[in-house]
Amino acid sequence: MKIIVDRSACTGLGICESLAPNCFEVDDAGDLILLTETVSDEDLDGVRQAIEGCPTEALRLEP
């Protein structure tokens, strides 16, 4: 699965970083950094939680 980020919608709150720290990081400027585009099986649940918890709906997964 591949992580897709809508950069125009992302506000950099860091919810995704707290739920899937192996995949997301928010820098000091509040910009989201993808640490990986492809989600491993062990990180998939955290990424799904991050997608559900994102208040701006800036994240999605594609096969």
Side-chain angles (χ1 to χ4, degrees), residues 9-45:
C10 180
T11 58
L13 292 175
I15 294 168
C16 56
E17 181 181 28
S18 66
L19 294 169
N22 291 336
C23 299
F24 304 103
E25 184 176 313
V26 177
D27 67 12
D28 293 336
D31 294 323
L32 178 63
I33 300 167
L34 274 179
L35 301 177
T36 182
E37 286 188 359
T38 305
V39 182
S40 69
D41 289 341
E42 75 179 47
D43 291 323
L44 190 55
D45 285 341

